[in-house]
Amino acid sequence: MQPEDIVRSGPNQYICKEGILKELDSLLSPFQAPAIITGNKSFEAYTKYVASIPEHWKIIQHAGYSSQQAIEELAPSCGAADVIIGIGGGIILDTAKAVADKLNIEVVLIPTVAGTCAASTPLSVIYSPDGEFERVAYHRRSSYLTVVDPAFLIHTPIDYLKSGIGDTLTKWYEAEAIIRNANDERAHSLFVQAALSQSVFIRDILLKDSIKAVQSSEAGKVTPSFTKTVEAVITLAGTVGGFGGRYGRMSGSHAIHNGLSFVEETHTILHGQKVAYGILVQLALENRIDEIEALLPYYQQLGFPTNLADLHIVDNQAIALQKVAEHAVNPKESLQLMGSYRADEVIAAMNVLESITTSKSV
C-alpha cells in the first residue's frame, strides 16, 4: 500500500491559543535534547516574541530549499537530539519533518507564517538546491505537536497570509476534480467523501472570512475572522489530504505551480500565489470559464496573479508556457489524477486565461 492511500488525519497534538508559544518549554518536558531547525528571519521573529529559549536547545539555521542535499547535511548537525522543532515557513517545516524522519525521531512544528498547511501534514515537498520541484516525500510520523499562536502570527508579513489563502483555496478545486474524474469505488468511500466535505467547509471559510483576516492583519488585531482563516490554512487544509489520501491531495493547480518552478522569473513569487494562478489554469483546462469569471473579483481583492505578467513572465512567454506545460503533463505529475492532458492543451488553457484576464486588466 502506498503512503497516500493511508488515512492520516493530522498532527498527533494540536494547540491554537494566543500566547501559547511562551509555554513551549513546558509542552516539551518529555524531551531531553531538542534541536531547532529554523530560518534566519523566522528565528529572529520567534525569539523576539518569546524573549528567550532554553540554553540546552540546539539551534540550526537553514537558508536554502527543502532539498535532499540539505536534509543529508542537516541531519548530522542535530547530534543526539530526541526531537526536532521546526520553526519557520513551509520550506523550513518541510525540511524539519524530513530531517526528523531521517533520524527517526519526533517533530514539533511551529509555523511563523500562515502560508501553507506544512505544519499539519506528514510529508515534505522536496526541491532541488536551485528550487526546482522534484518529488513529495511521505514520512513515518505525523507531528508530535503543532502549535499555532494567533498573537504571534498577526504580526507576520501579510503576503504570506495571502499566499496561504491561495494554497488553501485550491483544496476544493483539486479534490473535487480528482474525485469527479476518478473511475474507482474508493473515490466514493467514507473518508474520501469526508475530505471533499471538509474542502467545501474550508473554501466557504475563506470566501467569507479571508479578506477580513487580511484587514485584521493589516491592523495588527487578532479577530475571529483572522483566527478562522489561519486555522483553515495551517490545520484544516491538511485534513483534506489526510482523510482523502491521493483523492484529496495535489492535482491540476499544483502541477501548474510545479511547472512554474522551472521558470526562473517566478522564483520570487510565493508558493500559494502560484497555486492560486494554477487554479485558474485548471479551470480553463476544463473549460469552466464561468467559475474563472466568478473568482476574478476575489483574486483582485487579494492581489493574486491571474496572468503571466503578474508572475513576472514578460519576455519569452512562449518558452515559459512550454516549460510549464511539459512538466505539468509528466506522467508522474499530479495533473494526471484529474485526467489525461497533452502539453498543447495546457498551453491553450493558459492562453485562454491570458485572453480573459488581460482584457479585463485584472
Side-chain angles (χ1 to χ4, degrees), residues 185-199:
E185 292 184 4
R186 289 187 61 193
H188 304 286
S189 68
L190 182 64
F191 277 94
V192 171
Q193 292 303 306
L196 186 61
S197 296
Q198 188 79 321
S199 72

Side-chain angles (χ1 to χ4, degrees), residues 36-269:
I36 294 173
I37 292 179
T38 186
N40 296 321
K41 291 182 179 179
S42 301
F43 193 61
E44 181 182 354
Y46 174 78
T47 53
K48 182 178 179 181
Y49 180 72
V50 302
S52 63
I53 61 172
E55 292 183 359
H56 68 285
W57 289 12
K58 190 178 183 68
I59 301 166
I60 303 165
Q61 292 182 300
H62 173 57
Y65 288 94
S66 50
S67 66
Q68 190 61 44
Q69 178 180 328
I71 294 160
E72 298 294 337
E73 291 175 354
L74 290 170
S77 301
C78 296
D82 56 357
V83 63
I84 300 296
I85 306 170
I87 301 176
I91 287 175
I92 288 293
L93 299 183
D94 278 358
T95 303
K97 285 183 286 184
V99 170
D101 188 71
K102 182 174 180 61
L103 297 175
N104 197 23
I105 58 178
E106 300 284 5
V107 64
V108 172
L109 300 172
I110 300 172
T112 57
V113 292
T116 70
C117 60
S120 298
T121 56
L123 56 86
S124 296
V125 180
I126 305 299
Y127 296 91
S128 74
D130 296 324
E132 296 176 349
F133 172 81
E134 290 188 349
R135 71 185 194 281
V136 174
Y138 293 89
H139 305 314
R140 288 166 285 185
R141 288 182 169 90
S142 297
S143 67
Y144 172 84
L145 171 67
T146 292
V147 182
V148 172
D149 189 332
F152 171 71
L153 293 172
I154 194 68
H155 298 296
T156 59
I158 293 173
D159 284 347
Y160 286 97
L161 175 60
K162 291 180 179 180
S163 176
I165 292 166
D167 194 37
T168 305
L169 182 64
T170 196
K171 296 297 181 181
W172 154 253
Y173 292 96
E174 293 193 292
E176 188 278 333
I178 294 172
I179 294 167
R180 171 167 43 85
N181 289 288
N183 294 317
D184 57 278
E185 292 184 4
R186 289 187 61 193
H188 304 286
S189 68
L190 182 64
F191 277 94
V192 171
Q193 292 303 306
L196 186 61
S197 296
Q198 188 79 321
S199 72
V200 175
F201 178 55
I202 292 166
R203 179 201 64 191
D204 291 347
I205 289 172
L206 295 181
L207 293 178
K208 179 182 178 182
D209 288 290
S210 63
I211 292 172
K212 293 178 183 177
V214 170
Q215 293 168 346
S216 297
S217 184
E218 290 172 337
K221 181 180 179 182
V222 176
T223 63
S225 290
F226 178 79
T227 301
K228 285 180 184 178
T229 299
V230 163
E231 289 201 276
V233 169
I234 294 174
T235 311
L236 290 184
T239 65
V240 178
F243 285 145
R246 68 174 69 250
Y247 302 95
R249 298 206 188 278
M250 302 177 290
S251 62
S253 63
H254 272 87
I256 298 302
H257 164 277
N258 295 343
L260 287 168
S261 76
F262 291 89
V263 181
E264 188 175 354
E265 292 93 326
T266 72
H267 285 188
T268 58
I269 296 174

